[in-house]
Amino acid sequence: MNLTLKIWRQPDATSAGAMHTYELSEVSPDMSFLEMLDVLNEQLNDKGEEPIAFDSDCREGICGTCGLMINGEAHGPEVTTTCQLHMRSFSDGETITIEPWRSDAFPVVKDLIVDRSAFDRIIQQGGYISVNTGSAPEAHSVPVPRDDAMRAFNVATCIGCGACVAACPNGSASLFMGAKITHLGELPQGQPERDSRVVNMVAQHDHEGFGGCTNIGACTAACPKEIPLDVISQLNKDLRTAIKHGH
Amino acid sequence: MDMPDTVTSAEASPSGFLDGDYDDAVGYYTPGDPVVDTKAPDGPIAERWQNRKFEARLVNPANRRKLSIIIVGTGLAGASAAATLGEAGYRVKSFCYQDSPRRAHSIAAQGGINAAKNYKEDGDSVHRLFYDTVKGGDYRSRESNVYRLAEVSTNIIDQCVAQGVPFAREYGGLLDNRSFGGVQVSRTFYARGQTGQQLLIGAYQALERQVAAGTVETYTRHEMLELVTVDGKARGIIARDMVTGEIETHIADVVVLASGGYGNVFYLSTNAMGCNVTAAWRAHRKGAYMANPCFTQIHPTCIPVSGSHQSKLTLMSESLRNDGRIWVPKNQADCEKDPRDIPEEDRDYFLERIYPSFGNLVPRDIASRAAKNMCDEGRGVGPEVDGVRRGVYLDFAAAIERLGRAGVEEKYDNLLDMYERITGENPYEVPMRIYPAVHYVMGGLWVDYDLQSTIPGLFVTGEANFSDHGANRLGASALMQGLADGYFVLPHTIRDYLADGPFEEISEDHPAVVEARESVKGRIDHFLSVNGTRSVDSYHRELGNIMWEYCGMERSEDGLKKAIDLIRSLKDDFYRNVKVLGSAETLNQSLEKAGRVADFFELGELMCIDALNRRESCGGHFRAESQTEDGEALRHDDEYAYVSAWEWAGDDAAPVLHKEDLVYTAIEMKQRSYK
Ligand SMILES: Cc1cc2nc3c(=O)[nH]c(=O)nc-3n(C[C@H](O)[C@H](O)[C@H](O)COP(=O)(O)OP(=O)(O)OC[C@H]3O[C@@H](n4cnc5c(N)ncnc54)[C@H](O)[C@@H]3O)c2cc1C
Ligand code: SF4
Ligand code: FES
């Protein structure tokens, strides 16, 4: 396959960026999208042009490190992560536009890399269950209904990639946050801190500059782990309850 | 998978092995003094850890705030330790090279975590988990450490459940277990195929809670490039801020490395792209011994390489071997054909043929080696990469006939989907193709019973140390070890060291600190100034090929010696001809890779020397010279029942070998047999 690639390049956080155009030939349909960029980078390096910086680590769709806007879609045309996207999803002669996540709360670090540390700060405000090492009771002392455990698991599969934010016209992180609140809220262990968790996480979310949710649903459509939209309803419900409880 | 029958060493006479010293590595190393003190307590094995915990001195809670700890790594081993030590009230700095602690490579573990809970009442116990782990490690691990691992395994599950880790449950609401990796009891806890992710998120959340509490500071996108030692003690690290390029000095009272495994020395592996040996190797060069570096685990069921662009390999759970049948064409001429057109009589189900009693369920190393042999014979399948087809079929046709498509879907759907996404082939219609890949390293920095390296004040946890898995690791035991080390072992042993505090203040212009910082800058300047012709990746790929060819599934004296020569000359060329563009003052991924690959060269050479010294086959280490007439691995307990602990002797000197004898008091050594 031969491709025309339009790629965002930006030397660092403070400099201005611009789209650059590259031609790439002999792309195999079996390459992953990131391997295609590896090949391009080898060619750039040979020519004396600095390779394009982009993030990835596991390349198995689980660590959440990768993430690119591909032709305007977060993680590209399939329901998967950028690293698990393969070139067979594109066609010969195609022009592909590649940009970093765009969101005020995710400033660009360099080229296609953004700073997502806001997610860690949201978790710091309550995305956990307070239990010091060694103080846990025997694991079987609290049975958890299988359906609750399954639901908790399904939403706990969020990889923190940020595609939901990138896809959202408001730049909201409600899907990410709702997934965590639902994960912990489904479990008996998560009940004692349920009210304070939602209140504090939402406050941090707003403080970081993420936008509000207006129920567009672009987040869930872009989410590689198919986190359902109803986690946001759960988040709102928990928030109302917490406020009722005087938070 | 069933447990193989075992026979004692005496019965399996090591035929063809001559008495006397076989040391193929003569000239490649200097013999050193044996390691005499591992600090393992005496007494009955079941009481040792309780005794050690009692004897380890306490640190007054009021003093903990004054003591500082650096932890490099936020995988299971690092995040769990940082959270626990933060909770205890120490001042912790936590480092990782990713943009968030939650992305450490532990996140990718699929299958599960072992614990001796015996919830199934199937005869499991701490002693049985201990026994299985020592036996699985082919009697090359230290029994006191392994016993402790089995002992604390049950606490891990309690802790994780309390944190909200959503393990799989039964209808009654209790935890489910499965049997995993060649053992007969069901002791593996799991969260679908994403156990590592769920455990790591639990540890990560506990860590972030401590960040909010002010006890832990996280340094993401920071890479440790040097260890600072002062008067022989570990006192800090030099790290590069990977965004600004700043070279930072971090001083502490004690340093913990939880920096993971070095499987990426093979270039292609199932490890994440950034996994590296730099943190451990820099410590090694400062005096920490490296133990059993050649012990590598190769996993038989990975998705094969599809072309020279391949950047990493993906593991497929080995549970697939329970129902899939492995074969290659009998005739080379058929290798290009559509497998569905190859009639039954022209297929060679080679594992079933060679190992009739275990068939497709032989252990990982045997299955891997057999697949390699088929491909070396020219009967591999799939695309030709560099002139060879490296793949064998894993066929579900019989299972679909037996269980129905729905039955297979129920058991394996997510795996088969993943396969289809990567290869573009539908495994319900066309047999899957698999090939072995490097997956885990048992070798690592040498530690004593306290998890302390040979540098006082430097502790090592998780895959980065060598301690618990001997020459081979059982499935679902790495997660157990990482969390055991971080939650339950290190916090007790490190306090004994810290009880000597307060320690002398070290300033950033102490000569030892300046020297460490300058050497880091010197290396960076060098890489950026060579301006040669080849990319870092091209060197890494070539090094990986050498390692895979000569220090992979099968190792021989000639091959290893050749590899050492090849590595040395490639390394020379690298330093003279590598091309790293960009600057030191910004994010520069080529520069990051250059430092890692430079360390992989030195590690690779040591792995070959270690493999050369060990002229026996044990666990994942197969020496061509040490096999039975039927081609099975042959261990030599009389000669090699030791840990090889290597000391760095300088850039131009041969490494020094210190042997730690392995003594088993609670278990009898046995040879395995799978025929
Ligand atoms: C695909 C796959 C599946 C697996 N499945 C299982 C399984 O089912 N069960 C099981 O028990 N085991 C499994 N394993 C093995 C297991 O996942 C690992 O051995 C284990 O997670 C290692 O944990 P760790 O904490 O020691 O290191 P890691 O999780 O690798 O963490 C290393 C940390 O060190 C940091 N680091 C490294 N170098 C530096 C540096 N120079 N500077 C700063 N930071 C640094 C990294 O940023 C990271 O935070 C699997 C492994 C793979 C590859
Ligand atoms: S909710 Fe989905 S898109 Fe958002 S961070 Fe989690 S996995 Fe990514
Ligand atoms: S690189 Fe890990 S999810 Fe893509």
Side-chain angles (χ1 to χ4, degrees):
Chain A
M1 290 161 72
N2 297 321
L3 300 169
T4 302
L5 303 167
K6 295 197 162 156
I7 303 181
W8 181 260
R9 304 227 47 183
Q10 180 174 338
D12 53 47
T14 50
S15 310
M19 297 302 285
H20 287 231
T21 304
Y22 302 93
E23 301 294 333
L24 191 63
S25 50
E26 290 177 45
V27 174
S28 148
D30 287 331
M31 284 180 186
S32 72
F33 196 82
L34 299 182
E35 285 169 346
M36 181 275 291
L37 289 180
D38 291 340
V39 171
L40 174 64
N41 273 344
E42 282 289 291
Q43 294 180 7
L44 293 180
N45 199 71
D46 285 347
K47 281 193 278 183
E49 188 177 340
E50 204 184 329
I52 298 153
F54 63 88
D55 257 336
S56 78
D57 205 26
C58 75
R59 296 205 176 181
E60 282 188 19
I62 191 73
C63 72
T65 308
C66 66
L68 299 173
M69 284 309 254
I70 300 167
N71 291 336
E73 290 182 282
H75 290 305
E78 316 271 345
V79 181
T80 189
T81 56
T82 303
C83 61
Q84 288 287 287
L85 183 65
H86 285 74
M87 295 317 290
R88 65 182 81 91
S89 299
F90 299 87
S91 40
D92 188 24
E94 200 174 331
T95 298
I96 306 176
T97 313
I98 308 172
E99 294 168 274
W101 287 166
R102 300 282 189 198
S103 160
D104 287 347
F106 290 165
V108 173
V109 172
K110 181 173 182 172
D111 295 342
L112 301 171
I113 297 182
V114 298
D115 177 352
R116 287 169 294 196
S117 54
F119 272 9
D120 291 333
R121 291 188 292 274
I122 291 177
I123 296 297
Q124 281 158 27
Q125 292 312 311
Y128 47 74
I129 289 169
S130 296
V131 50
N132 282 3
T133 302
S135 60
E138 154 56 42
H140 266 179
S141 57
V142 187
V144 180
R146 193 166 182 263
D147 288 349
D148 296 359
M150 291 270 270
R151 176 139 200 267
F153 170 80
N154 284 335
V155 296
T157 57
C158 161
I159 56 174
C161 62
C164 45
V165 176
C168 175
N170 306 329
S172 172
S174 293
L175 194 70
F176 165 78
M177 208 167 31
K180 186 51 52 194
I181 280 162
T182 307
H183 161 208
L184 299 176
E186 281 292 331
L187 298 170
Q189 293 87 339
Q191 300 314 311
E193 294 165 293
R194 192 160 178 175
D195 288 353
S196 58
R197 175 178 307 122
V198 66
V199 169
N200 294 336
M201 284 175 72
V202 168
Q204 188 66 30
H205 170 270
D206 297 351
H207 174 77
E208 294 288 349
F210 292 106
C213 171
T214 52
N215 280 317
I216 298 167
C219 52
T220 190
C223 174
K225 298 295 144 180
E226 301 176 76
I227 301 295
L229 208 52
D230 65 7
V231 300
I232 302 182
S233 320
Q234 182 77 58
L235 171 116
N236 290 330
K237 198 165 138 223
D238 279 19
L239 193 58
R240 281 195 303 275
T241 312
I243 291 166
K244 231 182 276 164
H245 290 165
H247 273 275
Chain B
M1 221 181 262
D2 282 320
M3 194 84 139
D5 292 323
T6 51
V7 285
T8 62
S9 321
E11 288 168 57
S13 90
S15 58
F17 187 73
L18 304 172
D19 279 342
D21 293 326
Y22 255 116
D23 195 347
D24 300 331
V26 167
Y28 288 90
Y29 77 97
T30 312
D33 298 333
V35 176
V36 275
D37 190 7
T38 65
K39 294 230 204 95
D42 298 327
I45 196 146
E47 289 168 22
R48 290 180 193 170
W49 177 231
Q50 296 307 325
N51 291 341
R52 179 67 193 126
K53 272 198 290 187
F54 180 72
E55 280 157 18
R57 290 166 296 164
L58 298 171
V59 178
N60 183 324
N63 288 338
R64 295 184 197 157
R65 210 44 222 137
K66 298 178 202 144
L67 294 164
S68 56
I69 303 172
I70 283 174
I71 300 180
V72 180
T74 60
L76 290 180
S80 57
T84 305
L85 292 164
E87 288 159 10
Y90 299 101
R91 273 188 296 132
V92 179
K93 284 185 178 182
S94 154
F95 291 80
C96 66
Y97 69 75
Q98 293 92 347
D99 70 328
S100 165
R102 66 179 289 154
R103 307 202 199 283
H105 170 60
S106 295
I107 200 100
Q110 303 173 349
I113 177 166
N114 288 330
K117 281 284 197 188
N118 192 27
Y119 283 158
K120 295 282 173 195
E121 264 305 306
D122 55 2
D124 199 13
S125 63
V126 168
H127 200 86
R128 188 175 299 281
L129 176 54
F130 158 63
Y131 172 83
D132 287 348
T133 308
V134 173
K135 176 166 172 271
D138 225 359
Y139 302 91
R140 291 295 175 265
S141 50
R142 194 188 290 147
E143 66 171 7
S144 318
N145 288 55
V146 180
Y147 194 92
R148 173 178 66 192
L149 174 66
E151 194 178 338
V152 303
S153 67
T154 57
N155 303 96
I156 297 173
I157 303 304
D158 298 342
Q159 187 64 32
C160 294
V161 166
Q163 287 171 346
V165 171
F167 284 121
R169 287 179 184 264
E170 297 170 338
Y171 283 102
L174 299 179
L175 294 161
D176 193 19
N177 291 129
R178 59 184 173 200
S179 144
F180 201 74
V183 299
Q184 284 168 314
V185 292
S186 288
R187 63 159 78 98
T188 305
F189 294 77
Y190 65 100
R192 210 172 296 160
Q194 280 149 258
T195 317
Q197 178 195 32
Q198 296 308 317
L199 295 172
L200 184 61
I201 296 219
Y204 155 76
Q205 289 171 183
L207 171 78
E208 295 295 351
R209 171 175 166 247
Q210 289 310 303
V211 173
T215 60
V216 177
E217 268 179 276
T218 46
Y219 293 82
T220 56
R221 289 202 202 270
H222 272 68
E223 183 162 24
M224 166 184 167
L225 294 177
E226 194 52 275
L227 179 74
V228 174
T229 56
V230 178
D231 300 330
K233 289 188 176 136
R235 289 307 307 269
I237 64 170
I238 308 296
R240 179 169 180 272
D241 178 328
M242 294 158 75
V243 175
T244 65
E246 194 179 333
I247 303 300
E248 302 174 350
T249 303
H250 296 271
I251 301 293
D253 296 317
V254 62
V255 177
V256 180
L257 297 187
S259 48
Y262 51 75
N264 277 351
V265 65
F266 290 87
Y267 185 68
L268 289 181
S269 82
T270 63
N271 286 5
M273 302 298 287
C275 290
N276 67 90
V277 76
T278 291
W281 194 256
R282 295 284 119 196
H284 174 60
R285 291 177 56 106
K286 287 267 170 119
Y289 293 178
M290 190 79 188
N292 300 333
C294 82
F295 286 169
T296 315
Q297 185 172 77
I298 291 177
H299 201 291
T301 50
C302 300
I303 300 178
V305 174
S306 71
S308 52
H309 55 264
Q310 191 90 22
S311 60
K312 75 150 287 172
L313 296 170
T314 303
L315 173 76
M316 303 289 294
S317 168
E318 76 186 319
S319 62
L320 291 171
R321 287 199 280 143
N322 288 325
D323 288 299
R325 293 181 72 196
I326 296 177
W327 63 276
V328 290
K330 280 188 181 156
N331 309 312
Q332 215 164 333
D334 286 345
C335 291
E336 275 172 68
K337 279 197 189 153
D338 183 326
R340 289 167 295 188
D341 297 339
I342 302 177
E344 215 34 56
E345 65 271 16
D346 288 337
R347 300 176 175 196
D348 179 10
Y349 294 90
F350 55 95
L351 290 176
E352 298 171 25
R353 171 171 58 81
I354 310 174
Y355 305 100
S357 51
F358 281 85
N360 295 300
L361 295 178
V362 289
R364 289 178 180 181
D365 55 311
I366 294 180
S368 299
R369 229 168 19 247
K372 177 180 192 286
N373 291 342
M374 295 304 127
C375 299
D376 288 349
E377 275 177 28
R379 293 197 286 142
V381 297
E384 239 175 54
V385 180
D386 301 328
V388 193
R389 294 176 205 280
R390 300 220 169 271
V392 300
Y393 290 123
L394 175 65
D395 199 336
F396 274 86
I400 293 173
E401 218 161 90
R402 184 161 40 88
L403 305 167
R405 179 168 167 147
V408 172
E409 269 174 18
E410 191 183 307
K411 276 174 120 167
Y412 303 110
D413 200 32
N414 58 338
L415 290 168
L416 300 188
D417 274 358
M418 175 167 83
Y419 179 84
E420 181 167 5
R421 193 164 49 242
I422 294 174
T423 62
E425 288 173 10
N426 181 346
Y428 293 103
E429 282 161 18
V430 191
M432 296 167 78
R433 287 171 295 109
I434 54 163
Y435 200 64
V438 171
H439 178 57
Y440 180 86
V441 294
M442 283 70 70
L445 290 176
W446 185 92
V447 288
D448 63 15
Y449 187 72
D450 282 355
L451 304 182
Q452 187 166 211
S453 71
T454 45
I455 300 176
L458 179 71
F459 291 76
V460 190
T461 58
E463 193 174 339
N465 75 24
F466 89 106
S467 77
D468 295 346
H469 307 294
N472 213 350
R473 174 179 69 77
L474 288 183
S477 286
L479 302 183
M480 169 173 72
Q481 183 221 334
L483 291 181
D485 286 0
Y487 283 134
F488 297 109
V489 178
L490 180 81
H492 289 289
T493 59
I494 207 171
R495 66 175 147 85
D496 189 59
Y497 183 83
L498 288 168
D500 281 331
F503 299 85
E504 185 199 345
E505 289 278 326
I506 303 292
S507 93
E508 292 205 4
D509 40 17
H510 186 289
V513 180
V514 174
E515 194 266 326
R517 211 165 38 227
E518 290 309 313
S519 80
V520 166
K521 288 185 181 156
R523 264 160 69 87
I524 290 175
D525 289 347
H526 177 81
F527 294 136
L528 287 169
S529 63
V530 181
N531 208 8
T533 62
R534 278 183 68 179
S535 70
V536 178
D537 279 351
S538 78
Y539 282 103
H540 193 179
R541 192 175 298 123
E542 189 173 340
L543 171 66
N545 283 339
I546 299 171
M547 294 302 294
W548 179 246
E549 196 57 40
Y550 302 109
C551 198
M553 276 178 271
E554 182 171 325
R555 295 133 180 213
S556 70
E557 181 185 351
D558 291 347
L560 290 163
K561 287 184 172 166
K562 182 163 173 202
I564 294 170
D565 287 344
L566 289 170
I567 294 169
R568 286 178 180 166
S569 58
L570 188 64
K571 177 181 151 190
D572 275 357
D573 190 66
F574 170 79
Y575 277 94
R576 279 188 272 111
N577 194 27
V578 70
K579 182 173 186 177
V580 182
L581 300 170
S583 87
E585 281 82 40
T586 62
L587 192 146
N588 187 338
Q589 294 176 318
S590 306
L591 179 63
E592 293 160 16
K593 289 192 262 188
R596 295 173 194 160
V597 172
D599 291 333
F600 279 141
F601 279 119
E602 294 176 7
L603 167 75
E605 183 179 329
L606 186 67
M607 288 170 73
C608 293
I609 295 174
D610 185 43
L612 202 50
N613 169 257
R614 193 173 285 277
R615 194 187 169 107
E616 67 161 345
S617 298
C618 60
H621 170 66
F622 187 83
R623 275 292 299 263
E625 296 87 350
S626 183
Q627 48 184 313
T628 63
E629 276 163 20
D630 315 326
E632 283 208 68
L634 193 58
R635 219 177 61 212
H636 295 297
D637 294 334
D638 43 348
E639 311 253 341
Y640 296 104
Y642 59 78
V643 172
S644 302
W646 296 93
E647 181 185 0
W648 175 258
D651 280 306
D652 302 312
V656 180
L657 173 59
H658 302 274
K659 295 178 181 175
E660 174 195 331
D661 280 330
L662 291 166
V663 182
Y664 292 95
T665 58
I667 262 183
E668 187 193 357
M669 285 182 158
K670 289 178 179 171
Q671 289 274 6
R672 65 177 192 171
S673 163
Y674 288 91
K675 287 256 165 143

